[in-house]
Structures are given as C-alpha cells and as structure tokens.
Amino acid sequence: MADTIGKFTNRLEDKPGDFRRKLLSASLAPAGTEREALEARRAELQRSLRPTPDDTARAVITLLLASGKSYGMTERESDAREMLYGEALRQEPTWAIEKARQRFAKGGWQCNWDGRDVPPTASVVAECRFITLEVETEIGRINAILDAELVDTDTTENERREAVARWEQIKAQMGRSNVITERTGEEIDRERAEQVRANAAVELRDAMARKAAGLPPAPSPFAPRRAYAEAEGGA
C-alpha cells in the first residue's frame, strides 16, 4: 500500500489557483483494483480513528491511573478521577489511549510531563493526538489522490508540465511587481469638483457664523498676506 500511495503521489501536480486540489492525468489515475484498494485503505484508517468511549476504553484508563499514587484515596475520589480522564479522552480511539499508556509507562513520551505520578489529562490527550497523526497524514495523502482533478488525456505530460511551469513563473512575477494605477482625467475632475463643493460649504458656514457674531466678512484667503493681516487687524 505504501508503494501504491507513493506511486500515485509522485504523479500529482499542483493546480494553478487552487492549492487545495491536485491535478492528475486521467491516463495515470488509479482505476480498477488499485482504486478499490485505496478506497478500502482510507475507510479502514477512518474507522480506526473513531472514538470508543466504552468499557474497553475505561479499562485502559483504569490501567493508566493504576500506575499513579492512590494511597488514602477513597473509592468515590477514584471514580471521579477515572470519570475526568474518560471525559477528556472521549474523542480518542481506545488503541491510541493504550499506546499512550504504554509509552508513559516505559518512557520516551512526546509531551512535557515530568514523569511523576499519573500524567495529566492534557498530556494524555496530546500523546494520543501525536500517535494518531501518522494515520491522519496517510488519509490526507490518499484523499489527495482519490479527490484529484483529472486532466484531459488529449494533453501530453510535457504540455502539462510546461503549463504549470508558466503559471509558477507568472505567480513569481506578480509577487515581485508593484502595480501603480494612474487616475483618469475624469476622476481628477470629479475629485476637484467635490473639493470645491466642500470648500464652499465651509466658507458659507464661516460667513454665517461671523455675521451672527457681528463681524465683517472674512477676507479672501487668496488676497495678499499683508492685506489679509490689515483686514484682520481692522476687525
């Protein structure tokens, strides 16, 4: 199965504009028994990741807790501790919990547990996720093959490689280029008209305010600076 997955993975190509999908030549895609084998393997892996919060899981959790300190602990406290671990590990498959228990018992764990007493629930969950990561990775590789977009067989392999290479070159050029767009004359005229209307509104507001305060009209801002100062001084 590893050889089959590797063979078809090497035939996959990136799809321009969609990093989530892969391209695969229709003539090189899995068919018949090979496709059935890949689909069966994916289903098997997906079933293995299903959580199993049943008596078997509780038995494994009991073994995990048995390695810790229980001196002076009442039966009620022991049951409550087991319930808390069972709740935290409810989404994990039993085989992963058992494998995590074995790793914690023998050493070589992947989390930051200090090795004293029973590892906390978060550490057990983290170890289970690390253990199942390999399964999820294999599922992802199979999904990329089975869900790949088939390419028209009229196009040769060399033509497809050239098309992908051109697309990669275009993307690289787009990333390096700084596109500067210039405003059109119509846009400039429209902006100027809006600015004139805004200035007129401000001048009208100021004129009304000066009139209400009994002040003379303000001189034009376009008048010479000296005349503007004299007018203000006279006011």
Side-chain angles (χ1 to χ4, degrees), residues 21-89:
R21 295 289 300 277
K22 295 291 186 179
L23 299 178
L24 182 60
S25 172
S27 60
L28 300 176
T33 56
E34 286 183 321
R35 186 172 186 87
E36 292 175 359
L38 289 171
E39 291 175 345
R41 177 60 175 171
R42 178 172 63 178
E44 177 187 3
L45 294 173
Q46 291 173 338
R47 284 194 301 269
S48 72
L49 293 179
R50 291 177 184 172
T52 50
D54 53 10
D55 293 337
T56 305
R58 285 195 293 271
V60 175
I61 293 172
T62 300
L63 291 176
L64 173 69
L65 298 178
S67 61
K69 300 175 182 179
S70 58
Y71 179 77
M73 184 178 296
T74 65
E75 182 178 356
R76 183 176 181 181
E77 292 173 337
S78 179
D79 292 342
R81 193 181 193 186
E82 183 176 333
M83 182 189 69
L84 290 174
Y85 275 78
E87 182 178 303
L89 297 167

Side-chain angles (χ1 to χ4, degrees), residues 89-148:
L89 297 167
R90 182 170 294 275
Q91 300 300 322
E92 307 304 324
T94 301
W95 66 268
I97 302 174
E98 171 62 15
K99 199 165 185 178
R101 182 193 69 79
Q102 295 174 1
R103 288 188 180 182
F104 284 127
K106 299 177 181 179
W109 48 82
Q110 303 297 327
C111 66
N112 295 324
W113 177 50
D114 57 11
R116 292 177 293 182
D117 197 22
V118 178
T121 56
S123 296
V124 182
V125 172
E127 187 67 16
C128 290
R129 301 284 172 81
F130 180 81
I131 291 170
T132 56
L133 179 60
E134 184 178 353
V135 177
E136 294 176 347
T137 301
E138 185 175 351
I139 292 176
R141 296 182 67 189
I142 296 176
N143 284 338
I145 297 171
L146 296 179
D147 299 338

